[in-house]
Amino acid sequence: MVAVRLWGSLAELADGQQTVEIEAANLRQLLDGLVRAYPALKPQLERGVSVSIDGKIYNDTWATPISEESEVVLLNRLVGG
Amino acid sequence: MSRIHVTTTINNDETDYLCETDETLLDVLRDHLDLTGSKEGCGSGDCGACTVVVDGRLVCSCLMLAAEAEGRTIETIEGMAGGDALHPLQQKFLEHAALQCGICTPGILVAAKNLLERNPNPSEEEVRYWLAGNLCRCTGYDKIIRAVMDTAANTRGAA
Amino acid sequence: MPKDEYQSRDFKVVGTRPIRPDGIDKVTGKARYGADITAPGMLWGAILRSPHAHARIRGIDTSKARAIKGVKAVITRDDFTYQPEDSDMADILDNCMAGETARYDGHAVAAVAATSKSIARAALAAIEVDYEVLPHVTDVDEAMKPGAPVIESGRQQENVPKGYSENVTGRSQYGHGDPEEGFKQADLVIKRSFKTAATHQGYIEPHACLATLGSDGQGDLWVCTQGHYMVRNVCAGVLGLDAGQLRVTASEIGGGFGGKTHVWMEPTALMLARKSGKPVKLMMSRDEVFRATGPTASSSVDVKIGMTKDGKITGAAATYRLQAGAYPGGIAFLSAMCGFAPYDLENVRTEGFEVMTNRPKAAAYRAPGAPMGAYPVESVIDELCQKLDLDPLDARLKNAAREGTKSSYGPTYPAIGLEATLKAAQSHPHWTAPLGPNQGRGVACGFWFNFGGDTCVSLMVNPDGTVSLSEGNPDIGGSRASMSMMAAEELGVPLDQVRTIIADTASLGQNEVTDGSRVTFAVGLATIKAARHAVEIMKERAAMTWGIDPEAVDWRDGAAHPAGPNAGKFPPMTIKEIAAIASNTGGPIAGHHEVNAEGAGVSFATHMVDTEVDPETGAVKVLRYTVFQDAGKAVHPDYVEGQFQGGAAQGIGWAINEEYIYGDDGRLQNAGFLDYRIPVASDLPMIEPVILEIPNPGHPYGVRGVGETSIVPPLAAIANSVSRAAGVRLTSLPMSPPKVLAALKAE
Ligand code: FES
Ligand code: FES
């Protein structure tokens, strides 16, 4: 199980949990697992998120590996100028 | 609409064109004569991207009617280098990386050249005030001012 | 260690300051920007814009305009028959050409194409629009109140609590710990509210494009943009075209700063071209640029921070309300993420609200959201330092985030450079230089993420051994130079053997827009890997020639060498020699790399500024400015310095002069450079750049993005400097003379 940290307004939609546990070995499994476990997160996940894995930020790459020890943090999808 | 026939000298070449009464010198340079080095950043005299020299004086070509150019002598950025030899200011702008996007560069070069012709030994403050009508959004002006000052110092050294 | 991780090395080309390859064209006026090309038979386009902040469009009569000789096409929203399903695309379409409602002063309602500019202008004047004026709201706090005029209902996200106007479309929250507990441990708690005005990116080149589009759906577009692939994808999505049929070429670009990461009028140009059957050139006037593109959000912020006597921050909280303009979206979440990011905090909470108003759709502007994130936080930290009699650099160092710190937005930091910038600031002579009367010194820190994203690079080894590099990101400030440098470094050839061009959308795969300071990082990464790919091929070709195993070949200094005595005794083969026999050894040699470059490194800066406040007029003069920023690795230091200086200058404008001013009628009052005053040469001192290099572990050369962080600290650095000079805390930007004078009088 991977511990995933949610940002505040997302946590409210996941029964108030700041951190949720998801069975996942990569980014795609993580995102799919989140929607399965917490359907209320679906609109935000569809709008897009960025995911910090051990301090590096990923947006899209499904195959990005995640281990049980990884620090995983969900972030609003980042945009730049 | 009846058009006006204008004969003028641009970058040492005798040039003539037909223009509408409401066309600016900048419109004619860019749209009729393919001299697109002069840029339109505002069309209202506020940015200096369209700066040219008319009879020795700096002019925002967006504020001058094309019909007013009759009989005048006009210099644009396209006339600044001599063949493949860059003007010292152009060379210094490259060496100092005094441009990022480069859209302000033609106007600033034309204005700076005019300054150095009048005042070969300007202070930093004089350069800053002289170029205050030429907006640059990329560089913070630092490297531009240095390039102008360095050109002046070099030219004095060579003279 | 995998090859794309950072490896320390001695550079030959990277880190030097060669003259940029596009330089001569740009100093001689030859470079072609958006408005600089024409096509045979070309028409001139022009757009009619709403004079109202909010109005229902009851009808548009274009018959008189159509009757004018020389008018070849007149279009309104009715001509855009394709309705995109995707809501982002639908919003972009509506922003390019209003549907039922004009949502802001400057919103496009019709467009024409004609044989001359003056005929096009006359045609616009002949179009009659029947407006029903609606109530409007342009202020973010007003727009949040229940009962405010609603710009568009039904757009609120599920994360907005009850009790807000429907204009509040999104809310986000970041942080950890319990700030209320933290405040109890503090010796001093300060709570303040701040405002910042909307500011425009202010690029000197207005938007311009030249479009053709046939009835078969094939089109070409020449456009000044930060991302021509994005323009292609959006135009195709908005007009229902096949992306593959639309080729977009990026012109030279006269500044963007985020404002050219969006589509504002290109679909209109394509539609005019389709209707008229002719190429159409469409350019914005400066007035249009101000009224209908950009700006960034204005903000209203509450901040509360508690500090102990010895400078430890015990609790921190901030609420950000940012106006997003006339469509859902917004960047308050970025303010909420970035505001406290420089600090190691046990108790921190931030909240961001995205709010629609009757203003132009807010656009990205250099580190979007981060400047208004940092400004209130850094202001309150400065005030705490003043009241607790603490050195503001010491206090920041005491709380500085470092490797292993859990950031205020969640993740734990890898190696970062904030401490290095603070220490460099402390030991710089600027910090201890004497100040005169009415002068003050301010410091502030800033943070930005930097991005990666989709990137393609192709590297061709030509028959004579020279190298052509194709990348797909418009070069805003010297990136062709940086890419050539990285390719030369990797191949071991002289820089003048490499030429980099920006390919059009038909010549190279998808590339993310030039944003998020991503280019040197992501395109650089792809360039290095494309070069390594070409090197692998050249090693094989040499091995084949020598009749040895490719594994037994080394590449250094632009040549293949036998790897060791066992590999055999062959003289090295240079890239030139390998290229010359390419046809004999398997054909042309090219390397390429396609990647979604993820894992960009964050970056930090500390700025220091001295200002003088004129007690008679309230005018602020910037006397001295120093930027300390971590670049990871400065590939071309001149252009890194340029980014530091340019960002600081924009921040100075934001802090002192620049603002969107709306009248009670909801109209923009200052849509020109005369009244919207960006800094001019005589407003500024030299801006000293201090480059620090703390390598990004995720890039082979250690590169971090540098383009955006530099606009984050200036708002607060200047506010802190002015507040110290004036002896009164200023909490509203810009700090224009009347505001400063009023603050001085109130003292
Ligand atoms: S275009 Fe002439 S001054 Fe701006
Ligand atoms: S270099 Fe871009 S405006 Fe001056």
Short mmCIF file of all heavy atoms in Angstrom, two decimals, chain C residues 29-79:
data_model
loop_
_atom_site.label_atom_id
_atom_site.label_comp_id
_atom_site.label_asym_id
_atom_site.label_seq_id
_atom_site.Cartn_x
_atom_site.Cartn_y
_atom_site.Cartn_z
N GLY C 29 17.29 44.22 -37.90
CA GLY C 29 15.90 44.40 -38.30
C GLY C 29 15.40 43.33 -39.26
O GLY C 29 14.30 43.43 -39.79
N LYS C 30 16.21 42.29 -39.49
CA LYS C 30 15.79 41.27 -40.45
C LYS C 30 14.90 40.20 -39.83
O LYS C 30 14.17 39.51 -40.54
CB LYS C 30 17.04 40.57 -41.03
CG LYS C 30 17.72 41.37 -42.13
CD LYS C 30 18.86 40.57 -42.78
CE LYS C 30 19.98 40.34 -41.80
NZ LYS C 30 21.29 40.09 -42.43
N ALA C 31 15.01 40.03 -38.53
CA ALA C 31 14.24 38.95 -37.88
C ALA C 31 12.75 39.17 -38.11
O ALA C 31 12.27 40.30 -38.05
CB ALA C 31 14.54 38.95 -36.38
N ARG C 32 12.05 38.08 -38.38
CA ARG C 32 10.63 38.22 -38.71
C ARG C 32 9.75 37.82 -37.55
O ARG C 32 9.69 36.66 -37.15
CB ARG C 32 10.31 37.40 -39.96
CG ARG C 32 11.05 37.98 -41.18
CD ARG C 32 10.55 37.39 -42.45
NE ARG C 32 10.66 35.94 -42.44
CZ ARG C 32 10.15 35.16 -43.38
NH1 ARG C 32 9.49 35.69 -44.38
NH2 ARG C 32 10.29 33.86 -43.32
N TYR C 33 9.05 38.79 -37.04
CA TYR C 33 8.13 38.58 -35.92
C TYR C 33 6.71 38.35 -36.47
O TYR C 33 6.52 38.28 -37.69
CB TYR C 33 8.18 39.79 -34.98
CG TYR C 33 9.51 39.91 -34.27
CD1 TYR C 33 10.60 40.50 -34.89
CD2 TYR C 33 9.67 39.40 -32.98
CE1 TYR C 33 11.83 40.59 -34.24
CE2 TYR C 33 10.90 39.49 -32.33
CZ TYR C 33 11.97 40.09 -32.96
OH TYR C 33 13.18 40.17 -32.32
N GLY C 34 5.75 38.29 -35.55
CA GLY C 34 4.40 37.93 -35.95
C GLY C 34 3.82 38.78 -37.07
O GLY C 34 3.18 38.27 -37.99
N ALA C 35 4.05 40.10 -37.00
CA ALA C 35 3.42 41.01 -37.95
C ALA C 35 4.28 41.28 -39.16
O ALA C 35 3.95 42.11 -40.00
CB ALA C 35 3.10 42.34 -37.25
N ASP C 36 5.41 40.57 -39.29
CA ASP C 36 6.40 40.96 -40.29
C ASP C 36 6.31 40.20 -41.61
O ASP C 36 7.19 40.36 -42.46
CB ASP C 36 7.82 40.80 -39.73
CG ASP C 36 8.08 41.80 -38.61
OD1 ASP C 36 7.31 42.76 -38.50
OD2 ASP C 36 9.05 41.60 -37.86
N ILE C 37 5.31 39.37 -41.80
CA ILE C 37 5.26 38.74 -43.11
C ILE C 37 3.93 39.02 -43.80
O ILE C 37 2.93 39.39 -43.18
CB ILE C 37 5.53 37.22 -43.10
CG1 ILE C 37 4.42 36.47 -42.39
CG2 ILE C 37 6.87 36.89 -42.51
CD1 ILE C 37 4.47 35.00 -42.74
N THR C 38 3.95 38.82 -45.10
CA THR C 38 2.76 39.04 -45.92
C THR C 38 2.62 37.82 -46.83
O THR C 38 3.52 37.01 -46.92
CB THR C 38 2.91 40.29 -46.80
OG1 THR C 38 4.15 40.19 -47.50
CG2 THR C 38 2.91 41.56 -45.98
N ALA C 39 1.47 37.72 -47.48
CA ALA C 39 1.26 36.65 -48.44
C ALA C 39 0.57 37.25 -49.65
O ALA C 39 -0.15 38.24 -49.53
CB ALA C 39 0.39 35.56 -47.81
N PRO C 40 0.77 36.65 -50.83
CA PRO C 40 0.11 37.19 -52.01
C PRO C 40 -1.41 37.20 -51.84
O PRO C 40 -1.98 36.23 -51.33
CB PRO C 40 0.52 36.19 -53.12
CG PRO C 40 1.71 35.45 -52.58
CD PRO C 40 1.59 35.47 -51.11
N GLY C 41 -2.04 38.30 -52.19
CA GLY C 41 -3.49 38.39 -52.11
C GLY C 41 -4.03 38.53 -50.70
O GLY C 41 -5.22 38.33 -50.44
N MET C 42 -3.14 38.90 -49.81
CA MET C 42 -3.50 38.92 -48.39
C MET C 42 -4.53 40.01 -48.04
O MET C 42 -4.49 41.10 -48.58
CB MET C 42 -2.21 39.19 -47.61
CG MET C 42 -2.32 39.20 -46.15
SD MET C 42 -0.74 39.74 -45.46
CE MET C 42 -1.04 41.51 -45.36
N LEU C 43 -5.43 39.67 -47.12
CA LEU C 43 -6.39 40.65 -46.59
C LEU C 43 -5.98 41.05 -45.18
O LEU C 43 -5.22 40.36 -44.52
CB LEU C 43 -7.79 40.02 -46.54
CG LEU C 43 -8.36 39.49 -47.85
CD1 LEU C 43 -9.70 38.79 -47.58
CD2 LEU C 43 -8.53 40.62 -48.87
N TRP C 44 -6.56 42.18 -44.74
CA TRP C 44 -6.31 42.67 -43.38
C TRP C 44 -7.53 42.38 -42.52
O TRP C 44 -8.64 42.75 -42.88
CB TRP C 44 -6.03 44.17 -43.41
CG TRP C 44 -4.81 44.52 -44.20
CD1 TRP C 44 -4.76 44.80 -45.53
CD2 TRP C 44 -3.47 44.61 -43.72
NE1 TRP C 44 -3.46 45.06 -45.92
CE2 TRP C 44 -2.65 44.95 -44.82
CE3 TRP C 44 -2.87 44.44 -42.47
CZ2 TRP C 44 -1.26 45.13 -44.71
CZ3 TRP C 44 -1.49 44.61 -42.36
CH2 TRP C 44 -0.71 44.95 -43.47
N GLY C 45 -7.29 41.74 -41.41
CA GLY C 45 -8.38 41.45 -40.49
C GLY C 45 -8.48 42.49 -39.40
O GLY C 45 -7.53 43.20 -39.11
N ALA C 46 -9.66 42.58 -38.80
CA ALA C 46 -9.84 43.47 -37.66
C ALA C 46 -11.02 42.95 -36.83
O ALA C 46 -11.92 42.29 -37.36
CB ALA C 46 -10.11 44.90 -38.11
N ILE C 47 -10.98 43.24 -35.53
CA ILE C 47 -11.99 42.69 -34.61
C ILE C 47 -12.77 43.81 -33.93
O ILE C 47 -12.18 44.79 -33.47
CB ILE C 47 -11.29 41.81 -33.54
CG1 ILE C 47 -10.67 40.57 -34.21
CG2 ILE C 47 -12.27 41.39 -32.45
CD1 ILE C 47 -9.90 39.66 -33.27
N LEU C 48 -14.09 43.64 -33.90
CA LEU C 48 -14.95 44.58 -33.17
C LEU C 48 -15.11 44.06 -31.74
O LEU C 48 -15.36 42.88 -31.53
CB LEU C 48 -16.33 44.66 -33.85
CG LEU C 48 -17.30 45.69 -33.24
CD1 LEU C 48 -16.81 47.11 -33.50
CD2 LEU C 48 -18.71 45.51 -33.79
N ARG C 49 -15.00 44.97 -30.78
CA ARG C 49 -15.01 44.55 -29.38
C ARG C 49 -16.09 45.26 -28.57
O ARG C 49 -16.41 46.41 -28.85
CB ARG C 49 -13.63 44.80 -28.76
CG ARG C 49 -12.56 43.97 -29.46
CD ARG C 49 -11.19 44.11 -28.86
NE ARG C 49 -10.25 43.25 -29.58
CZ ARG C 49 -10.13 41.94 -29.37
NH1 ARG C 49 -10.84 41.36 -28.41
NH2 ARG C 49 -9.29 41.23 -30.09
N SER C 50 -16.60 44.56 -27.59
CA SER C 50 -17.67 45.12 -26.76
C SER C 50 -17.18 46.32 -25.95
O SER C 50 -16.12 46.24 -25.33
CB SER C 50 -18.18 44.05 -25.78
OG SER C 50 -18.96 44.66 -24.77
N PRO C 51 -17.96 47.40 -25.94
CA PRO C 51 -17.61 48.52 -25.08
C PRO C 51 -18.18 48.35 -23.66
O PRO C 51 -17.96 49.18 -22.80
CB PRO C 51 -18.27 49.71 -25.77
CG PRO C 51 -19.47 49.12 -26.46
CD PRO C 51 -19.13 47.68 -26.79
N HIS C 52 -18.92 47.27 -23.45
CA HIS C 52 -19.59 47.07 -22.17
C HIS C 52 -18.91 45.97 -21.36
O HIS C 52 -18.40 45.00 -21.91
CB HIS C 52 -21.05 46.67 -22.39
CG HIS C 52 -21.82 47.67 -23.21
ND1 HIS C 52 -22.07 48.95 -22.76
CD2 HIS C 52 -22.33 47.59 -24.46
CE1 HIS C 52 -22.73 49.61 -23.70
NE2 HIS C 52 -22.90 48.82 -24.74
N ALA C 53 -18.97 46.11 -20.05
CA ALA C 53 -18.36 45.12 -19.16
C ALA C 53 -19.18 43.84 -19.14
O ALA C 53 -18.65 42.76 -18.90
CB ALA C 53 -18.24 45.69 -17.75
N HIS C 54 -20.47 43.97 -19.37
CA HIS C 54 -21.34 42.80 -19.31
C HIS C 54 -22.61 43.15 -20.08
O HIS C 54 -23.29 44.11 -19.73
CB HIS C 54 -21.68 42.50 -17.83
CG HIS C 54 -22.16 41.09 -17.59
ND1 HIS C 54 -22.69 40.69 -16.39
CD2 HIS C 54 -22.16 40.00 -18.39
CE1 HIS C 54 -23.01 39.41 -16.45
NE2 HIS C 54 -22.70 38.96 -17.65
N ALA C 55 -22.90 42.42 -21.12
CA ALA C 55 -24.08 42.77 -21.92
C ALA C 55 -24.56 41.56 -22.69
O ALA C 55 -23.75 40.77 -23.20
CB ALA C 55 -23.75 43.91 -22.89
N ARG C 56 -25.88 41.42 -22.77
CA ARG C 56 -26.44 40.39 -23.65
C ARG C 56 -26.41 40.93 -25.08
O ARG C 56 -26.71 42.10 -25.31
CB ARG C 56 -27.87 40.06 -23.21
CG ARG C 56 -28.50 38.93 -23.99
CD ARG C 56 -29.70 38.34 -23.26
NE ARG C 56 -29.32 37.80 -21.96
CZ ARG C 56 -29.87 38.18 -20.80
NH1 ARG C 56 -30.80 39.11 -20.77
NH2 ARG C 56 -29.47 37.64 -19.68
N ILE C 57 -26.00 40.08 -26.00
CA ILE C 57 -25.97 40.50 -27.40
C ILE C 57 -27.31 40.09 -28.02
O ILE C 57 -27.56 38.92 -28.26
CB ILE C 57 -24.79 39.85 -28.15
CG1 ILE C 57 -23.47 40.27 -27.47
CG2 ILE C 57 -24.78 40.25 -29.62
CD1 ILE C 57 -22.26 39.48 -27.94
N ARG C 58 -28.18 41.09 -28.25
CA ARG C 58 -29.52 40.75 -28.79
C ARG C 58 -29.47 40.50 -30.28
O ARG C 58 -30.25 39.73 -30.83
CB ARG C 58 -30.49 41.87 -28.46
CG ARG C 58 -30.97 41.81 -26.99
CD ARG C 58 -32.17 42.70 -26.74
NE ARG C 58 -31.79 44.09 -26.79
CZ ARG C 58 -32.06 44.97 -25.81
NH1 ARG C 58 -32.72 44.60 -24.73
NH2 ARG C 58 -31.68 46.21 -25.93
N GLY C 59 -28.55 41.18 -30.95
CA GLY C 59 -28.46 40.97 -32.39
C GLY C 59 -27.29 41.74 -32.97
O GLY C 59 -26.82 42.72 -32.37
N ILE C 60 -26.77 41.27 -34.09
CA ILE C 60 -25.68 41.97 -34.76
C ILE C 60 -26.06 42.12 -36.23
O ILE C 60 -26.35 41.14 -36.92
CB ILE C 60 -24.35 41.18 -34.65
CG1 ILE C 60 -24.00 40.92 -33.18
CG2 ILE C 60 -23.22 41.95 -35.34
CD1 ILE C 60 -22.72 40.15 -32.96
N ASP C 61 -26.08 43.37 -36.71
CA ASP C 61 -26.42 43.63 -38.10
C ASP C 61 -25.13 43.97 -38.86
O ASP C 61 -24.52 45.01 -38.63
CB ASP C 61 -27.42 44.79 -38.18
CG ASP C 61 -27.82 45.07 -39.63
OD1 ASP C 61 -27.24 44.45 -40.55
OD2 ASP C 61 -28.71 45.91 -39.84
N THR C 62 -24.74 43.07 -39.73
CA THR C 62 -23.48 43.26 -40.45
C THR C 62 -23.71 43.69 -41.90
O THR C 62 -22.76 43.80 -42.68
CB THR C 62 -22.66 41.95 -40.46
OG1 THR C 62 -23.44 40.94 -41.12
CG2 THR C 62 -22.32 41.49 -39.07
N SER C 63 -24.97 43.95 -42.27
CA SER C 63 -25.26 44.19 -43.69
C SER C 63 -24.53 45.41 -44.24
O SER C 63 -24.00 45.38 -45.36
CB SER C 63 -26.77 44.30 -43.90
OG SER C 63 -27.28 45.34 -43.08
N LYS C 64 -24.47 46.48 -43.46
CA LYS C 64 -23.81 47.70 -43.96
C LYS C 64 -22.31 47.45 -44.16
O LYS C 64 -21.71 47.93 -45.11
CB LYS C 64 -24.01 48.85 -42.99
CG LYS C 64 -25.46 49.32 -42.93
CD LYS C 64 -25.56 50.72 -42.33
CE LYS C 64 -27.03 51.13 -42.22
NZ LYS C 64 -27.54 51.01 -40.84
N ALA C 65 -21.72 46.69 -43.24
CA ALA C 65 -20.29 46.39 -43.37
C ALA C 65 -20.03 45.55 -44.62
O ALA C 65 -19.08 45.78 -45.37
CB ALA C 65 -19.80 45.66 -42.13
N ARG C 66 -20.88 44.56 -44.84
CA ARG C 66 -20.70 43.69 -46.01
C ARG C 66 -20.80 44.47 -47.31
O ARG C 66 -20.19 44.10 -48.31
CB ARG C 66 -21.79 42.61 -46.04
CG ARG C 66 -21.57 41.49 -45.07
CD ARG C 66 -22.79 40.57 -45.06
NE ARG C 66 -22.93 39.95 -43.75
CZ ARG C 66 -22.25 38.89 -43.37
NH1 ARG C 66 -21.41 38.32 -44.20
NH2 ARG C 66 -22.40 38.40 -42.15
N ALA C 67 -21.58 45.55 -47.30
CA ALA C 67 -21.81 46.31 -48.53
C ALA C 67 -20.63 47.19 -48.91
O ALA C 67 -20.57 47.70 -50.02
CB ALA C 67 -23.08 47.16 -48.37
N ILE C 68 -19.69 47.36 -48.00
CA ILE C 68 -18.55 48.24 -48.30
C ILE C 68 -17.62 47.55 -49.29
O ILE C 68 -17.28 46.38 -49.12
CB ILE C 68 -17.79 48.60 -47.00
CG1 ILE C 68 -18.69 49.41 -46.07
CG2 ILE C 68 -16.51 49.38 -47.32
CD1 ILE C 68 -18.10 49.68 -44.70
N LYS C 69 -17.19 48.30 -50.31
CA LYS C 69 -16.28 47.73 -51.32
C LYS C 69 -14.96 47.36 -50.67
O LYS C 69 -14.39 48.13 -49.91
CB LYS C 69 -16.01 48.79 -52.40
CG LYS C 69 -16.83 48.64 -53.63
CD LYS C 69 -16.03 49.18 -54.83
CE LYS C 69 -16.74 48.89 -56.14
NZ LYS C 69 -17.85 49.81 -56.41
N GLY C 70 -14.46 46.21 -50.99
CA GLY C 70 -13.18 45.78 -50.42
C GLY C 70 -13.34 44.92 -49.19
O GLY C 70 -12.37 44.33 -48.72
N VAL C 71 -14.55 44.81 -48.67
CA VAL C 71 -14.79 43.93 -47.52
C VAL C 71 -15.05 42.52 -48.06
O VAL C 71 -15.94 42.31 -48.87
CB VAL C 71 -15.98 44.41 -46.67
CG1 VAL C 71 -16.33 43.39 -45.59
CG2 VAL C 71 -15.66 45.77 -46.05
N LYS C 72 -14.24 41.57 -47.63
CA LYS C 72 -14.33 40.22 -48.19
C LYS C 72 -14.94 39.20 -47.25
O LYS C 72 -15.30 38.10 -47.67
CB LYS C 72 -12.93 39.74 -48.62
CG LYS C 72 -12.24 40.65 -49.62
CD LYS C 72 -12.98 40.68 -50.95
CE LYS C 72 -12.28 41.58 -51.96
NZ LYS C 72 -13.07 41.78 -53.17
N ALA C 73 -14.98 39.51 -45.97
CA ALA C 73 -15.63 38.59 -45.03
C ALA C 73 -16.00 39.35 -43.77
O ALA C 73 -15.26 40.22 -43.31
CB ALA C 73 -14.71 37.43 -44.67
N VAL C 74 -17.18 39.03 -43.25
CA VAL C 74 -17.60 39.55 -41.94
C VAL C 74 -18.08 38.35 -41.16
O VAL C 74 -18.90 37.58 -41.66
CB VAL C 74 -18.74 40.58 -42.08
CG1 VAL C 74 -19.10 41.14 -40.70
CG2 VAL C 74 -18.35 41.71 -43.03
N ILE C 75 -17.57 38.17 -39.96
CA ILE C 75 -18.00 37.00 -39.19
C ILE C 75 -18.46 37.39 -37.79
O ILE C 75 -18.01 38.39 -37.22
CB ILE C 75 -16.91 35.91 -39.09
CG1 ILE C 75 -15.66 36.45 -38.39
CG2 ILE C 75 -16.55 35.36 -40.46
CD1 ILE C 75 -14.64 35.36 -38.05
N THR C 76 -19.36 36.59 -37.26
CA THR C 76 -19.77 36.69 -35.86
C THR C 76 -19.74 35.27 -35.32
O THR C 76 -19.34 34.34 -36.01
CB THR C 76 -21.20 37.25 -35.73
OG1 THR C 76 -22.10 36.29 -36.30
CG2 THR C 76 -21.36 38.58 -36.43
N ARG C 77 -20.21 35.12 -34.09
CA ARG C 77 -20.18 33.79 -33.49
C ARG C 77 -20.99 32.77 -34.31
O ARG C 77 -20.66 31.59 -34.34
CB ARG C 77 -20.71 33.89 -32.04
CG ARG C 77 -20.79 32.59 -31.31
CD ARG C 77 -19.41 31.94 -31.13
NE ARG C 77 -19.57 30.73 -30.34
CZ ARG C 77 -19.55 30.73 -29.02
NH1 ARG C 77 -19.28 31.85 -28.35
NH2 ARG C 77 -19.75 29.62 -28.34
N ASP C 78 -22.02 33.26 -35.01
CA ASP C 78 -22.85 32.34 -35.80
C ASP C 78 -22.03 31.60 -36.86
O ASP C 78 -22.42 30.52 -37.30
CB ASP C 78 -23.97 33.11 -36.51
CG ASP C 78 -25.02 33.58 -35.50
OD1 ASP C 78 -25.03 33.03 -34.38
OD2 ASP C 78 -25.80 34.49 -35.84
N ASP C 79 -20.91 32.19 -37.26
CA ASP C 79 -20.10 31.52 -38.28
C ASP C 79 -19.29 30.36 -37.72
O ASP C 79 -18.80 29.53 -38.48
CB ASP C 79 -19.16 32.54 -38.93
CG ASP C 79 -19.95 33.55 -39.75
OD1 ASP C 79 -20.31 33.21 -40.87
OD2 ASP C 79 -20.23 34.65 -39.23
#
